[in-house]
Structures are given as structure tokens and as C-alpha cells.
Amino acid sequence: MESSVQTNGMNGDSGVKCPIVYISRVDCFSACHRLHSPKLSDEENKETFGKCNNPNGHGHNYKVEVTLRGPVNPVTGMVFNLTDLKQYIADAIMSVLDHKNIDKDVPYFKDVVSTTENVAVFIWDSMVKRLPSGMLYEIKIHE
């Protein structure tokens, strides 16, 4: 887990500056995919995606960072319970993507090219549903 602090928020009506803290949790998953767009011809796909358009696909070991942003709760001392965040990551990311063929096993990618960018969007959409409004700050993926 990683954390950082920024003091730009105000604490309610008191006018007292409230630190905004960023907490990140990192996890890893392995998955395979093929970069192929049904909107492109086979030749355009080969030209655009190169060896990543291999009909048999290819695999990656992905590292994903989920970063939350918010004030520290004065009672709990936390922005968010990391045990809960770990479970949300397991449910939204690991169980869905780890050791899967992204294109064939994840319905979202039926009509969406499984680029790293789109995997990040998929993870964002999956995580934002589980977290309090405005808390999810960033999804970062290392391929």
C-alpha cells in the first residue's frame, strides 16, 4: 500500500483545512488477449496491432494500482478500510481477470478491443460501483 497527503480541502463549515490523503493498493494478475477490432479489416488489424494481433493471442502479467482519495476519518484514522478495498479488488478484478482469456471470458470485451487502456476503463467501471461516490481517484496498469 502507498499513501500521500495533500492539504487543499476544508473540514465542513469550520474553515479548518482537512488533509486529503491518497491510498493505493497494488495487485497482480495474469491474463491473455488478442488485440483485434471488428471495425477493422484483417489487414488493418495486423498493421495496427502487429504481433499482438496473433490469432492465438498472447499473455501478460499485469500489475494494477487502485488509488482512492479522501479525507481521513477522525474516528477510524482511515480514508477507507483496506480490508474492504482488498476484497473489492478481489471481486472486481482478480476473480474476473486473473488467469482468463480477456476476450473470451469477460463479456465486456465481446465488442471492446482489450487494450490496456480499455482494461483500465473496465476496472474503473467495476470498482467505482463498489466504492463511495468520488472516492476512486485512479486506476493504473503496468503491462
Coordinates of all heavy atoms in Angstrom, one line a residue, residues 101-139:
N101 N -8.9 -15.6 -20.4 CA -8.8 -15.0 -21.7 C -9.7 -13.8 -21.7 O -10.9 -14.0 -21.7 CB -9.1 -16.0 -22.8 CG -9.0 -15.5 -24.2 OD1 -9.3 -14.4 -24.5 ND2 -8.5 -16.4 -25.1
I102 N -9.2 -12.6 -21.7 CA -10.0 -11.4 -21.5 C -11.1 -11.3 -22.6 O -12.2 -11.0 -22.3 CB -9.1 -10.2 -21.5 CG1 -8.2 -10.2 -20.3 CG2 -9.9 -8.9 -21.6 CD1 -7.1 -9.1 -20.3
D103 N -10.7 -11.6 -23.9 CA -11.6 -11.5 -25.0 C -12.8 -12.5 -24.9 O -13.9 -12.2 -25.3 CB -10.9 -11.7 -26.3 CG -9.8 -10.7 -26.5 OD1 -10.0 -9.5 -26.2 OD2 -8.7 -11.1 -26.8
K104 N -12.5 -13.7 -24.4 CA -13.5 -14.8 -24.4 C -14.2 -15.0 -23.1 O -15.3 -15.4 -23.0 CB -12.8 -16.1 -24.8 CG -12.3 -16.0 -26.3 CD -11.6 -17.3 -26.7 CE -11.1 -17.2 -28.1 NZ -10.5 -18.4 -28.6
D105 N -13.6 -14.6 -22.0 CA -14.1 -14.9 -20.7 C -14.8 -13.7 -20.0 O -15.5 -13.9 -19.0 CB -13.0 -15.4 -19.7 CG -12.5 -16.8 -20.2 OD1 -13.2 -17.5 -20.8 OD2 -11.3 -17.0 -19.9
V106 N -14.6 -12.5 -20.5 CA -15.1 -11.3 -19.9 C -16.1 -10.7 -20.9 O -15.7 -10.1 -21.9 CB -14.0 -10.3 -19.6 CG1 -14.6 -9.1 -18.8 CG2 -12.9 -11.0 -18.7
P107 N -17.4 -10.8 -20.6 CA -18.4 -10.3 -21.6 C -18.2 -8.8 -22.0 O -18.5 -8.5 -23.2 CB -19.7 -10.4 -20.8 CG -19.5 -11.6 -19.8 CD -18.0 -11.4 -19.5
Y108 N -17.7 -8.0 -21.2 CA -17.5 -6.6 -21.5 C -16.6 -6.4 -22.8 O -16.8 -5.5 -23.6 CB -16.7 -5.9 -20.4 CG -16.4 -4.4 -20.6 CD1 -17.2 -3.4 -20.2 CD2 -15.1 -4.1 -21.1 CE1 -16.9 -2.1 -20.4 CE2 -14.7 -2.8 -21.2 CZ -15.6 -1.8 -20.9 OH -15.3 -0.4 -21.1
F109 N -15.7 -7.4 -23.0 CA -14.8 -7.3 -24.2 C -15.3 -8.0 -25.4 O -14.5 -8.1 -26.4 CB -13.4 -7.8 -23.7 CG -12.7 -6.8 -22.8 CD1 -12.7 -7.1 -21.4 CD2 -12.2 -5.7 -23.2 CE1 -12.2 -6.3 -20.5 CE2 -11.6 -4.8 -22.3 CZ -11.6 -5.1 -21.0
K110 N -16.6 -8.4 -25.4 CA -17.1 -9.0 -26.6 C -17.0 -8.1 -27.8 O -16.7 -8.5 -28.9 CB -18.6 -9.4 -26.4 CG -19.3 -10.0 -27.5 CD -20.7 -10.4 -27.2 CE -21.3 -11.2 -28.3 NZ -21.9 -10.3 -29.4
D111 N -17.3 -6.8 -27.6 CA -17.2 -5.8 -28.7 C -16.3 -4.6 -28.4 O -16.3 -3.6 -29.0 CB -18.6 -5.2 -28.9 CG -19.6 -6.3 -29.3 OD1 -19.3 -7.1 -30.2 OD2 -20.7 -6.3 -28.7
V112 N -15.4 -4.8 -27.4 CA -14.4 -3.8 -27.0 C -13.0 -4.4 -27.1 O -12.8 -5.5 -26.6 CB -14.7 -3.3 -25.5 CG1 -13.6 -2.3 -25.1 CG2 -16.0 -2.7 -25.4
V113 N -12.1 -3.7 -27.8 CA -10.8 -4.2 -28.0 C -10.1 -4.2 -26.6 O -10.1 -3.2 -25.9 CB -10.0 -3.3 -29.0 CG1 -8.6 -3.8 -29.2 CG2 -10.7 -3.2 -30.3
S114 N -9.4 -5.3 -26.3 CA -8.9 -5.4 -25.0 C -7.5 -4.8 -24.8 O -6.5 -5.4 -24.3 CB -8.8 -6.9 -24.6 OG -8.1 -7.6 -25.6
T115 N -7.4 -3.5 -25.2 CA -6.1 -2.8 -25.0 C -6.0 -2.6 -23.5 O -6.9 -2.7 -22.7 CB -6.2 -1.4 -25.7 OG1 -7.3 -0.7 -25.1 CG2 -6.3 -1.6 -27.2
T116 N -4.8 -2.3 -23.1 CA -4.5 -1.9 -21.6 C -5.4 -0.8 -21.2 O -5.9 -0.8 -20.1 CB -3.0 -1.6 -21.4 OG1 -2.3 -2.8 -21.9 CG2 -2.7 -1.4 -20.0
E117 N -5.6 0.2 -22.1 CA -6.4 1.3 -21.7 C -7.9 0.9 -21.5 O -8.5 1.3 -20.5 CB -6.4 2.4 -22.9 CG -5.1 3.0 -23.2 CD -4.2 2.2 -24.1 OE1 -4.4 1.0 -24.4 OE2 -3.2 2.8 -24.6
N118 N -8.4 0.0 -22.3 CA -9.8 -0.5 -22.1 C -9.9 -1.4 -20.9 O -10.9 -1.4 -20.2 CB -10.3 -1.1 -23.4 CG -10.7 -0.1 -24.4 OD1 -11.1 1.0 -24.0 ND2 -10.7 -0.5 -25.7
V119 N -8.8 -2.1 -20.6 CA -8.8 -2.9 -19.3 C -8.9 -2.0 -18.1 O -9.6 -2.2 -17.2 CB -7.6 -3.9 -19.3 CG1 -7.5 -4.5 -17.9 CG2 -7.6 -4.9 -20.4
A120 N -8.2 -0.9 -18.2 CA -8.2 0.1 -17.1 C -9.6 0.7 -17.0 O -10.1 0.9 -15.9 CB -7.2 1.2 -17.3
V121 N -10.3 1.0 -18.1 CA -11.7 1.5 -18.1 C -12.6 0.5 -17.5 O -13.4 0.8 -16.6 CB -12.1 1.9 -19.5 CG1 -13.6 2.2 -19.5 CG2 -11.3 3.1 -20.0
F122 N -12.4 -0.8 -17.9 CA -13.2 -1.9 -17.3 C -13.1 -2.0 -15.8 O -14.0 -2.1 -15.0 CB -12.9 -3.2 -18.0 CG -13.5 -4.4 -17.3 CD1 -14.9 -4.7 -17.5 CD2 -12.8 -5.2 -16.4 CE1 -15.4 -5.8 -16.9 CE2 -13.4 -6.3 -15.8 CZ -14.7 -6.6 -16.0
I123 N -11.8 -1.9 -15.3 CA -11.6 -2.0 -13.9 C -12.1 -0.7 -13.2 O -12.8 -0.9 -12.1 CB -10.0 -2.1 -13.6 CG1 -9.6 -3.5 -14.1 CG2 -9.7 -1.9 -12.2 CD1 -8.1 -3.7 -14.1
W124 N -12.0 0.5 -13.8 CA -12.6 1.7 -13.2 C -14.1 1.5 -13.0 O -14.6 1.7 -11.9 CB -12.3 2.9 -14.1 CG -13.0 4.1 -13.6 CD1 -14.3 4.5 -13.7 CD2 -12.4 5.1 -12.7 NE1 -14.5 5.7 -13.1 CE2 -13.4 6.1 -12.5 CE3 -11.1 5.4 -12.2 CZ2 -13.2 7.2 -11.7 CZ3 -10.9 6.5 -11.5 CH2 -11.9 7.4 -11.2
D125 N -14.8 1.1 -14.1 CA -16.2 0.9 -14.0 C -16.6 -0.1 -13.0 O -17.6 0.0 -12.3 CB -16.8 0.5 -15.4 CG -16.7 1.6 -16.4 OD1 -16.5 2.8 -16.0 OD2 -16.8 1.3 -17.6
S126 N -15.8 -1.2 -12.8 CA -16.1 -2.3 -11.9 C -15.9 -1.8 -10.4 O -16.7 -2.1 -9.5 CB -15.3 -3.5 -12.1 OG -15.6 -4.0 -13.4
M127 N -14.8 -1.0 -10.2 CA -14.5 -0.5 -8.9 C -15.4 0.6 -8.4 O -15.8 0.7 -7.3 CB -13.0 -0.1 -8.8 CG -12.0 -1.3 -8.9 SD -12.2 -2.5 -7.5 CE -11.8 -1.4 -6.1
V128 N -15.7 1.5 -9.3 CA -16.5 2.7 -8.9 C -17.9 2.3 -8.4 O -18.5 3.0 -7.6 CB -16.5 3.8 -10.1 CG1 -17.6 3.4 -11.2 CG2 -16.7 5.2 -9.6
K129 N -18.4 1.2 -8.9 CA -19.7 0.7 -8.4 C -19.7 0.3 -7.0 O -20.7 0.3 -6.3 CB -20.2 -0.4 -9.3 CG -20.5 -0.1 -10.7 CD -20.8 -1.4 -11.5 CE -20.8 -1.1 -13.0 NZ -20.9 -2.4 -13.7
R130 N -18.5 -0.1 -6.5 CA -18.4 -0.7 -5.2 C -18.0 0.4 -4.1 O -18.1 0.1 -2.9 CB -17.4 -1.8 -5.2 CG -17.8 -3.0 -6.0 CD -16.6 -4.0 -6.2 NE -17.1 -5.3 -6.6 CZ -17.5 -5.6 -7.9 NH1 -17.5 -4.7 -8.8 NH2 -17.9 -6.8 -8.2
L131 N -17.4 1.5 -4.5 CA -16.9 2.4 -3.6 C -17.8 3.6 -3.4 O -18.6 3.9 -4.2 CB -15.5 2.9 -4.2 CG -14.4 1.9 -4.2 CD1 -13.3 2.3 -5.1 CD2 -13.9 1.6 -2.8
P132 N -17.6 4.3 -2.3 CA -18.4 5.6 -2.0 C -18.1 6.6 -3.2 O -17.0 6.6 -3.7 CB -17.9 6.1 -0.7 CG -17.3 4.9 0.0 CD -16.8 4.0 -1.1
S133 N -19.1 7.3 -3.5 CA -19.1 8.3 -4.6 C -17.9 9.2 -4.4 O -17.6 9.8 -3.4 CB -20.3 9.1 -4.6 OG -20.3 10.1 -5.7
G134 N -17.1 9.4 -5.5 CA -16.0 10.4 -5.5 C -14.7 9.9 -4.9 O -13.7 10.6 -4.9
M135 N -14.7 8.6 -4.4 CA -13.5 8.2 -3.7 C -12.5 7.6 -4.6 O -11.3 7.7 -4.4 CB -13.9 7.1 -2.6 CG -12.7 6.7 -1.8 SD -13.2 5.9 -0.3 CE -13.6 7.3 0.7
L136 N -12.9 6.9 -5.7 CA -11.9 6.3 -6.6 C -11.2 7.4 -7.4 O -11.8 8.3 -8.0 CB -12.6 5.4 -7.6 CG -11.7 4.6 -8.6 CD1 -10.7 3.8 -7.8 CD2 -12.5 3.8 -9.5
Y137 N -9.9 7.5 -7.3 CA -9.1 8.5 -7.9 C -8.4 8.1 -9.2 O -8.4 8.8 -10.2 CB -8.1 9.0 -6.9 CG -7.1 10.1 -7.5 CD1 -7.6 11.4 -7.7 CD2 -5.8 9.7 -7.8 CE1 -6.7 12.3 -8.2 CE2 -5.0 10.7 -8.4 CZ -5.4 12.0 -8.6 OH -4.6 12.9 -9.1
E138 N -7.9 6.9 -9.2 CA -7.1 6.4 -10.3 C -6.9 4.9 -10.4 O -6.8 4.3 -9.4 CB -5.6 7.0 -10.2 CG -4.7 6.7 -11.3 CD -3.3 7.4 -11.1 OE1 -2.7 7.1 -10.0 OE2 -2.9 8.2 -11.9
I139 N -6.9 4.4 -11.6 CA -6.6 3.1 -11.9 C -5.3 3.1 -12.8 O -5.3 3.8 -13.8 CB -7.7 2.3 -12.7 CG1 -9.0 2.2 -11.8 CG2 -7.2 0.9 -13.1 CD1 -8.9 1.4 -10.6

